[in-house]
Every structure is written in C-alpha cells, then in structure tokens.
C-alpha cells in the first residue's frame, strides 16, 4: 500500500479552508472532544459569540443526529462512522458538513425533509420548530425529538444542501452541508 | 426530597436546588446525548416542590448553549411551572446571560413566549 500523500491532503485542506475534520467511528466522548477543539478554534479566530455558538450548535446537532441514527439502526462500528468537516467558504462564512451511511429509504426521506425545509423562510421555520417541540416524544426516535434538522436549518444563512451517493451494498452515503 | 447538587461536566450544566429557599439553579452548557438522565431528577424535584409546598419557587438560570433534546426537557419544566402558576402557585424564572451573546437571549425569549408567569431575561456584563 502506498503511504498517505500528506502533502496533497494538506494542500486540499488549505485550499478548501478546512479548519477541522474527522472521519471514522464517532463516540459520545469524541463528539465532546472535537467540540472543545472547535470552540477553541472559534475563540482563536475571534468569531462573534453568537456566530461561534451557531457553528457549535450545528456541529452538535449534526453529529448527535448521526449517533442517534446509528444506534437506532444498531450499526456496528464500521457503519457507525461519520465524516465531519468544518471549513470556511469564499465569503468567509463557516460551513459545517456532516455525512454518514444510511439505508436507501432513510436517505430518500431525509432528502425530502431537507427539500421541504429549504422552501421555508425563517418565520415558517420557527413555526415548524415550535410545532415539532410540542409533539409528544416518539420513544423509537431516540432523544433527537426530530428537532435537530429544523434547528440546523434555522441557524443556517442559506438553505441546507444535501446529497446521497449510492454505495455498493445498496445503502447510501448521506451528506448534509450548512452555511452559517 | 433531597436537594440536588450536581457538578458541571463538559456537556452538562451545574445544578443546585435549595428546598428551604425555594430555588433551583442551573449554570453552563447542556448538550448531553441522553438528556433524560440529566433532567429527570430536576423535573422530579420541581414536581415534588410544587406538590408539597405553598411558598414561591424560583429558577435561577445561567444556561448558555442547549442542544435540542435539552430544549425539549426545559420546555417540559416550564410547562410544569406554567401549570402551577395557572393553579395559583407563585413561580418565577430569572435567566441571566452575557450581553455579548444575543443567541442566549433569543433562546430564552422563545421559551418565554409560551409562559405567562414572571420570566425575566437579564443581560449581564
């Protein structure tokens, strides 16, 4: 096996302005540790406290959604992996991207939900959020309460972007991207 | 009912209760993966207080960031206070926040929209 080409990897990170990334099985404590690093980076970059909190919030909701999903589906470690990237775009805005393997049908439902959220303005998102908050808990849906995606959409400054890529085993790789 | 004195962790707030004084206080971030473990003793303490006492109850909050599952439990707690308030109990919430971070005030404001009891959102320097 070739040794990893760190120079190209580094060049890619620099070009894409990636400040933090992770790929692999994600645990509760790892989410916390990466979260601490993210907070420190944001402080070092002098991000506005409210902007820093939005980036942190989207990171937490996205990664905890992945954790809840993999536990709900009972995935083994290899399938319980997450790919998380926090970067900046050309306009200097923070971008939080998170992806994971999901069942094809779940990917389809997610894409539909995100498409529906993308059509809503901030006032409508708040209404949908409050409605969801008032719904009784679904014991099968974990503690996510279905609020995570709506919360991410509310904190984003542009409609959420998402893609699904087919995998060989019939599942799909779902990827979500939020510009803060 | 025993008073609560729970130290903060990376993802959970510090929590103290004082039955004698009628105060329940929380400070810090709240984003545990399982919010139920964190919030159920708080919920039970408030429920017991409201059921057994006629003196006022106040919640002194300095919460910063809450994940959505913590937000849902906080809403349940405020619903409990709202219910008690409508039955004549004296309840109040004071939520102090760093004026540099308006997101906390916005979060507190969204809770306050659904409450009719005294709910103060206080900026501090």
């Amino acid at each position: 096996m070739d040794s990893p080409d760190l120079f190209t990897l580094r060049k890619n990170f620099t070009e894409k302005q990636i400040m933090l990334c992770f790929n692999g099985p994600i645990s509760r404590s790892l989410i916390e540790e990466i979260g601490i690093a993210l907070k420190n980076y944001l402080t070092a970059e002098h991000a506005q406290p409210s902007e820093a909190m939005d980036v942190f919030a989207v990171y937490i909701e996205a990664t905890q959604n992945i954790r809840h999903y993999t536990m709900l589906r009972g995935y083994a470690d290899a399938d319980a992996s997450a790919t998380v990237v926090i970067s900046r775009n050309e306009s200097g805005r923070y971008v939080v991207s998170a992806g994971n393997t999901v069942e094809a049908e779940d990917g389809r439902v997610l894409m539909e939900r995100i498409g529906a959220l993308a059509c809503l303005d901030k006032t409508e998102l708040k209404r949908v959020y409050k409605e969801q908050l008032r719904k009784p808990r679904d014991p099968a849906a974990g503690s996510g309460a279905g609020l995570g995606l709506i919360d991410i959409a509310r904190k984003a400054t542009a409609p959420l972007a998402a893609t699904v890529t087919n995998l060989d085993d019939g599942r799909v790789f779902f990827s979500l991207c939020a510009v803060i | 009912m025993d008073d609560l004195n729970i130290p903060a962790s990376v993802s959970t707030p510090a929590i103290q209760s004082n039955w004698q004084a009628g105060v329940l206080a929380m400070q810090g971030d709240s984003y545990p993966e399982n919010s139920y473990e964190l919030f159920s003793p708080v919920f039970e303490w408030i429920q017991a207080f409201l059921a057994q006492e006629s003196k006022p109850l106040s919640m002194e909050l300095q919460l910063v960031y809450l994940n959505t599952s913590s937000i849902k439990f906080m809403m349940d707690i405020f619903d409990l206070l709202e219910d008690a308030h409508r039955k004549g109990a004296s309840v109040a919430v004071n939520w102090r926040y760093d004026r540099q971070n308006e997101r906390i005030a916005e979060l507190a404001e969204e809770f306050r929209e659904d409450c009719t009891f005294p709910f103060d959102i206080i900026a501090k320097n």
Side-chain angles (χ1 to χ4, degrees):
Chain A
M1 195 186 107
D2 290 337
S3 54
D5 182 353
L6 289 188
F7 183 75
T8 308
L9 205 55
R10 172 184 177 271
K11 192 163 159 266
N12 218 330
F13 284 165
T14 312
E15 277 170 10
K16 298 266 163 40
Q17 297 197 71
I18 292 171
M19 53 191 276
L20 203 152
C21 70
F22 176 83
N23 179 53
I26 192 151
S27 65
R28 189 178 60 101
S29 58
L30 206 46
I31 289 178
E32 288 186 3
E33 291 301 329
I34 297 172
I36 294 170
L38 175 60
K39 273 190 177 178
N40 290 340
Y41 280 146
L42 291 165
T43 309
E45 292 202 345
H46 303 292
Q48 291 297 317
S50 51
E51 187 184 30
M53 194 147 102
D54 287 344
V55 174
F56 185 74
V58 169
Y59 160 77
I60 290 290
E61 292 300 330
T63 51
Q64 289 187 340
N65 266 352
I66 293 174
R67 284 273 299 162
H68 292 310
Y69 181 82
T70 56
M71 286 189 282
L72 189 69
R73 285 274 171 253
Y75 282 0
D77 261 10
D79 294 321
S81 289
T83 306
V84 182
V85 172
I86 294 149
S87 58
R88 301 187 88 148
N89 67 11
E90 312 79 32
S91 355
R93 292 202 168 276
Y94 290 102
V95 181
V96 179
S97 312
N100 62 313
T101 301
V102 301
E103 302 301 316
E105 174 58 16
D106 295 331
R108 201 186 54 73
V109 171
L110 276 167
M111 292 301 283
E112 259 179 32
R113 274 196 76 195
I114 289 161
L117 291 175
C119 302
L120 306 180
D121 63 23
K122 290 291 171 198
T123 315
E124 290 163 330
L125 281 172
K126 180 180 174 185
R127 182 180 51 78
V128 173
Y129 175 86
K130 283 221 158 181
E131 275 171 19
Q132 186 66 38
L133 195 58
R134 288 278 161 201
K135 277 187 192 161
R137 281 187 184 78
D138 175 3
S143 70
L147 281 167
L149 265 185
I150 311 172
D151 191 54
I152 293 172
R154 290 188 74 191
K155 292 191 160 87
T157 57
L160 301 180
T163 57
V164 286
T165 310
N166 292 328
L167 301 173
D168 289 341
D169 62 1
R171 285 189 278 200
V172 297
F173 183 76
F174 168 73
S175 158
L176 175 73
C177 175
V179 179
I180 311 303
Chain B
M1 186 91 185
D2 285 340
D3 269 320
L4 307 170
N5 189 4
I6 305 168
S9 77
V10 171
S11 59
T12 57
I15 303 171
Q16 311 88 34
S17 71
N18 185 333
W19 187 284
Q20 200 61 37
V23 175
L24 187 129
M26 301 172 85
Q27 309 91 29
D29 284 334
S30 181
Y31 55 96
E33 207 166 86
N34 184 352
S35 299
Y36 179 78
E37 276 169 35
L38 174 72
F39 283 98
S40 57
V42 177
F43 197 84
E44 281 161 19
W45 189 93
I46 294 173
Q47 229 171 5
F49 186 96
L50 293 170
Q52 295 168 33
E53 294 288 344
S54 51
K55 60 187 177 191
L57 172 66
S58 90
M59 279 187 86
E60 300 297 325
L61 305 178
Q62 293 188 52
L63 292 166
V64 182
Y65 164 63
L66 277 73
N67 66 353
T68 51
S69 90
S70 297
I71 287 173
K72 194 153 171 81
F73 279 103
M74 283 307 290
M75 186 193 73
D76 291 343
I77 289 173
F78 293 141
D79 282 353
L80 201 60
L81 298 185
E82 180 66 18
D83 225 39
H85 169 70
R86 286 175 193 268
K87 288 176 185 146
S90 168
V91 296
V93 168
N94 293 303
W95 193 320
R96 290 181 172 75
Y97 74 100
D98 174 357
R99 71 167 73 247
Q100 301 286 318
N101 194 338
E102 75 231 32
R103 284 294 178 277
I104 308 167
E106 289 165 12
L107 172 71
E109 183 55 47
E110 283 196 9
F111 282 122
R112 180 161 71 176
E113 284 168 5
D114 298 332
C115 304
T116 60
F117 56 83
F119 192 130
D120 282 338
I121 303 167
I122 304 146
K124 53 174 191 174
N125 289 313

